[in-house]
Amino acid sequence: MPIYSIFAVYFIVWWLVIFMVLPFGVRTHDEQGDVLLGTTESAPANLRLVRKMIITSVISAIIVYGIWYGYVKMGWTAEVLSHISF
């Protein structure tokens, strides 16, 4: 698997994972009891975006490693996987 393919898969997986990680641990201004004039009550009060980006990067690296391992070491290709029946 070429390195640029690994980066492309990582990029796609990273964006999928970030949208799954974003809602965890978010508290709204209404839940915090700190609604300021001009803000929506449902707006996140403390997003902790850097922490979520680090978590996303680690999870994405694990997933991409699994994809790489399946492709390179186990020989899984789209053709092989298409013959699996449940």
Side-chain angles (χ1 to χ4, degrees):
M1 182 179 255
I3 192 74
Y4 57 83
S5 295
I6 294 171
F7 284 129
V9 170
Y10 182 81
F11 179 77
I12 293 168
V13 170
W14 194 91
W15 279 103
L16 290 171
V17 173
I18 191 73
F19 286 114
M20 290 183 235
V21 171
L22 277 176
F24 290 109
V26 174
R27 296 187 47 91
T28 63
H29 284 286
D30 188 37
E31 291 173 338
Q32 294 277 33
D34 186 28
V35 180
L36 301 173
L37 185 62
T39 61
T40 307
E41 296 174 351
S42 60
N46 192 2
L47 192 56
R48 297 181 189 162
L49 194 56
V50 173
R51 180 175 183 236
K52 290 183 181 192
M53 290 173 66
I54 293 169
I55 292 169
T56 299
S57 298
V58 170
I59 292 172
S60 298
I62 292 168
I63 292 171
V64 170
Y65 175 75
I67 293 169
W68 174 84
Y69 187 82
Y71 181 77
V72 172
K73 300 293 184 182
M74 307 279 293
W76 296 346
T77 60
E79 184 179 346
V80 171
L81 294 176
S82 69
H83 295 297
I84 296 175
S85 61
F86 294 101

